[in-house]
Amino acid sequence: MKEISELQFAEDVRYADDHEWARDEGDKVRIGVDDYAQDQLGDIVFVELPQVGDSFSKGDEFGTVESVKAVAELFIPMGGEVLAVNEKLEEAPELVNKDPYQGGWMIEIKPADPAEMEALMTRDAYIDMLKGL
Amino acid sequence: MRYLPHTSEDVASMLKVVGKESLDDLFSSIPEDCRVSDRLSLPEPLTEWELNEKLSTLSNAMAVSPDSKVFLGAGSYEHFIPESVSYLLGRSEFVTSYTPYQPELSQGTLQAIYEFQTLTARLLGMEVATASHYDGATALAEALLMAIRVSRKKKVAVSSLIHPYYRRVAQTYLHPAGYEIVELPHLENGRTDLASIAGMNDLAAVAVQSPNFFGCVEDLQAVGNAAHETGGLFICAFTEPLAYGLLKNPGSQEADIVCGEGQSLGIPQSFGGPALGLFSGRMKFVRNMPGRLVGQTTDLEGRRGFVLTLATREQHIRRERATSNICTNNSLCALSAAMYMSSLGGTGLQELARLNYDKSEYLKSALRKAGCTLPFDVPTFNEFVAVFPGGFDTTYQRLLERGIVAGLPLATFYPELKNHYLLCVTETKSKADLDALVREVTS
Amino acid sequence: MKETLGTTGLILNEPLLWEKGKKGRSGFSLPRRDVESAPIDESLVGEGPDFPDLSEVDVVRHYTRLSTWNFGVDTGMYPLGSCTMKYNPKTNERQARLPGLAGSHPLLPQSLSQGVLRLMFELQEYLAEITGMDAVTLQPAAGAHGELTGMLVMHAYHQSKGHQPSKIIVPDTAHGTNPSSAALCGYRPVPVKSNEQGILSTESIAEIMDEDTAGIMVTNPNTLGLFEENIRAIAEIVHGKGGLVYCDGANMNAVMGVVQMGKIGIDVMHLNLHKTFSTPHGGGGPGSGPVAVKDHLEPFLPVPRVVEEKGAYRLSYAFPKSIGKVQAFHGNVGVMIKAYSYILSLGPEDLKKTSQLAVLNANYIKKKLKDTLYLAYDRPCMHECVFSDKNQKAHKVMTLDMAKRLMDYGYHPPTVYFPLVVDGAIMIEPTETECKEDLDLFIEAFKAIAKEAEENGELLTQAPTKPKLRRLDETTAARKPCLVG
């Protein structure tokens, strides 16, 4: 597993303390897990995602991500309704490892309360939090 | 004692290293009020020779072939087991190894179980099979729970012609979570009555057994249609897998889960256990399946090998959200079954199944000729129900004293079926045995 | 260079069954056909499965070769923590194969099955005596099955008292089967942390125990190899709020003849015959997981029960409060016969000696390796001890690498990455059947490996090299499962 200084943290997203990221895309928000999460999990073998149309409140479990020897729950950083899921992850779960902020995106939601984005950490604040772990 | 290699010198020198005065001192962290106060009250140890004698005496107090003729089936079947299978099963590398968590040291078990999964899937006509469960009853319980998980519905319909003990196990498993089991009655012809499920839309699954407890072959196509109409999964259970060497397998009849008992495949009856739970299903539900799975892969040098896989479904990773709590299963029995199936081969299995069918048909027709009624009018495999005249229980008891078990009285399980007996014939019974039975029961 | 236990040798490759064979070959002596072929409804007839046709020689070579790719207890030391890989006595196999026992039908009338029924009855008594509990069922097929049975018994007990709790306390050191068995019963596991000494404290239990908690699932000794010293006080707290104490008896090998489970507050527990009682592990079973209970839980045990009346034994279903059945028939009799034979071969003194020597062996290894490997809890252990890879991490070598390198040295690795409370856990359980010389060789091997970690870590990260295969790609196996051929 890598040192924090070796990991990449995208600039155009905000971070939740359990390592998901959220990107504001105008009328929708895209969500995934970050480089720290994929590095901790190791080779990802399966991602379980919700259905389009499912609704979640902030902090709800919206899916799971599996490596060979571990399962981690995914908690939604902002509440909303699922507009799209990344179907490529079914055939290629390794996208989460290789390209966590772009090709490895997981779900797109219509946010219930866009202000919840402000409560998420900025890149710098998140990196500080990781260093303290 | 030959399993305890430590000499008193060994013990003394090891105690010195550990810094303890005596073996008792090793337990000083254990409070006094937790201790055994006296010696364990158990029999004094036997020598190997005394043990042999004692166990032989117990063995002799049992009614088995060839001295006894036992015409019982009902979930446990007498079949010939080749000496080659028993011999191979004695290889201590198979017997004394652990679950193959370290694949580099367990390729023997892993390839053998992968082969077992494949042969089982082919036998049942399904896409994937697991590495084994405890027995047919628990495999069925797991199948019902899986259907409930997959469909998110809380009700299942179960045929009353599924083995009564399987149904009891299903009840035991489904009761605490509050799932509902609806029992389907049977028709006069010995098959399941599907009428009551028409129009239901809240079923997770519809389960039947074929051949069923009466030995009758169910109309699986009809069951499948009825099940799928309700939106539920079609679960087909079985207790005698040899039947599929002759009959169309449940996979070909659109079953979603096929599960049952594999004891007939080269496993000694052993008073009912250990047995072999077989479980198979569709790849699309594989991540919801209970039980271990062995998968093919390659090593660092590109060579073919096998590993336990999809382990995230299991208890050691998923814990309370696992698809099952199963850990140790019945691996050596699965190995036995694979050895048996590979010894028989595809051709041999068909011939053996046909022989079983023909022998039981012979008995059926001989009993009919001798005046007995066989109430259920549909095709059967190995087992069938015969009605003996009233007062037969005296004859039955008399035959027991001579070591002849003339079938299983059904009244305990189906109170309305007085004087009905479930008889089982396999390739182990000769024509002479069958003729003798007919004479005995009709005298 | 000194020769190690693990060496190279010629073993043979062997294809998959369906990659061999020829149509028309047979490995089976078909019984004589002495009846005519009977008519059959052709619409029911299938094509038969696509199985290869093999000769007896094909089959025997196939499985003989496969067996040479395996490592068993008979091959060498197998120090898997929590599994109790002790020697499997061969006389036990002979007894299980006796034709009267192996060939018997489970539904034989009572008068024709007194042999097995007597054996089962006596085994129940022996296990009750060894655990100090009041009643035993032999029906569960394995430890996890016993746990489920125990949970069902607890559930039935609470129901009979008119209320059903929704939670159960599960320590952080628990085996995964514990919470998964509890969940099958509808109980939500509530975690509790062990203290810095690696055991449960009364305060942490008192904090979370309430009337909506069915009880607690403890393992004693626990999975760190430590005796739960506060067990009696904990049991009192749990009982005080109407709960029950379940004990996972997987580690019973540490305490036979020493601890009386029945008097430390345990209400229900299971045993693993394939661990403590020497029945072979079989590559993954079959096992047997009898459950022992105190009197107040006896009515709920599964049916049938083996009862004795005037010297005759029978199976009785006359227990109206029973939870029902957990297996179709009466349990894994073939496995029970082996445990029964084991108990009769050892007797009370040597069963106690077994536990004493198991604990001695583990403490010996602990003492000798604690300067090499980081000892997670520096306290007296029972029959197993837990180290971690803390000392080796600096050299970029992990528990996994040490485990794989042990294979090259001729040992099956210990249990790794369990219990979860120790990062990179290495759990070593030698059992009592390993002699001092073999323990010394094992210790030497582990020290050599630790030295390699410092000087030449690649020997570990590239291990193993001597078994049939190198490390396997488990990622692809999980991403693209290929489960049938």
Side-chain angles (χ1 to χ4, degrees), chain C residues 224 369-378 385-394 397-400 402-403 414-428 446 450:
Chain C
L224 292 165
L369 280 180
K370 64 190 273 209
D371 296 323
T372 307
L373 298 171
Y374 181 82
L375 185 62
Y377 293 87
D378 197 349
C385 51
V386 179
F387 295 96
S388 82
D389 54 5
K390 198 156 166 192
N391 294 349
Q392 284 70 32
K393 274 225 171 93
V397 161
M398 302 196 308
T399 290
L400 185 70
M402 288 195 275
T415 298
V416 291
Y417 299 104
F418 180 79
L420 302 168
V421 294
V422 174
D423 193 47
I426 301 168
M427 193 192 335
I428 301 177
F446 227 132

Side-chain angles (χ1 to χ4, degrees), chain B residues 343-385:
Chain B
S343 299
L344 251 186
T347 313
L349 178 59
Q350 281 190 294
E351 284 178 30
L352 187 68
R354 191 63 201 245
L355 185 59
N356 273 258
Y357 174 80
D358 292 335
K359 292 221 184 208
S360 67
E361 289 299 298
Y362 176 83
L363 182 62
K364 281 164 77 174
S365 121
L367 284 170
R368 278 197 188 105
K369 285 196 192 109
C372 295
T373 316
L374 303 193
F376 301 126
D377 209 13
V378 295
T380 62
F381 185 88
N382 270 7
E383 301 183 83
F384 58 92
V385 178

Side-chain angles (χ1 to χ4, degrees), chain C residues 111-129:
Chain C
S111 57
L112 303 182
S113 49
Q114 287 296 296
V116 172
L117 291 174
R118 179 175 171 165
L119 186 151
M120 290 173 70
F121 185 82
E122 288 179 356
L123 180 62
Q124 284 174 179
E125 309 253 280
Y126 301 159
L127 296 178
E129 172 66 12

Side-chain angles (χ1 to χ4, degrees), chain B residues 70-74 212-216 360 363-364 367 372-376 380 382-400 404-425 437 440-442, chain C residues 107 109:
Chain B
V70 178
F71 291 87
L72 292 174
N212 63 31
F213 190 66
F214 294 162
C216 299
S360 67
L363 182 62
K364 281 164 77 174
L367 284 170
C372 295
T373 316
L374 303 193
F376 301 126
T380 62
N382 270 7
E383 301 183 83
F384 58 92
V385 178
V387 181
F388 292 132
F392 179 73
D393 23 301
T394 338
T395 313
Y396 189 85
Q397 293 303 322
R398 189 177 35 86
L399 290 173
L400 284 186
I404 300 173
V405 185
L408 181 72
L410 286 184
T412 349
F413 305 107
Y414 302 88
E416 73 279 13
L417 299 181
K418 295 193 192 343
N419 302 317
H420 287 57
Y421 290 77
L422 181 65
L423 289 155
C424 177
V425 180
L437 179 70
E440 297 284 2
V441 301
T442 54
Chain C
L107 299 174

Side-chain angles (χ1 to χ4, degrees), chain B residues 6 33 35-36 39 41 73 95 97 102 109 122 135 248 270-271 297 304 325 347 351 354 357-358 431, chain C residues 19 30 33-34 38-39 43-44 50 53 70 102 104-105 129 181 232 263 282-283 328 349 361 404 473:
Chain B
H6 299 66
D33 55 12
R35 307 284 192 111
V36 171
R39 227 167 155 264
S41 171
V95 176
S97 60
Q102 297 287 359
T109 297
R122 291 184 186 186
D135 71 351
K248 290 194 169 115
S270 222
F271 209 64
T297 186
R304 177 173 70 192
N325 71 339
T347 313
E351 284 178 30
R354 191 63 201 245
Y357 174 80
D358 292 335
K431 179 166 173 293
Chain C
E19 291 170 346
L30 275 168
R33 172 173 272 287
D34 53 5
S43 71
L44 294 176
D50 178 17
D53 282 353
N70 261 16
S104 56
H105 193 289
E129 172 66 12
S181 303
R232 288 194 76 157
K263 69 194 224 191
E349 298 285 347
N361 276 1
K404 300 300 183 191
D473 182 0

Side-chain angles (χ1 to χ4, degrees), chain A residues 46 61 64 66-71 73, chain B residues 101 152 287 310-313 317-318 321:
Chain A
F46 186 71
E61 186 190 317
T64 58
E66 293 178 22
S67 62
V68 170
K69 303 256 193 262
V71 183
E73 286 108 5
Chain B
Y101 287 128
R152 295 172 207 242
R287 287 189 144 84
L310 298 185
T312 46
R313 297 161 306 122
I317 294 177
R318 198 73 81 138
R321 293 169 59 166

Side-chain angles (χ1 to χ4, degrees), chain C residues 277-294:
Chain C
F277 297 96
S278 87
T279 76
H281 211 92
S288 176
V291 168
V293 299
K294 286 314 222 31

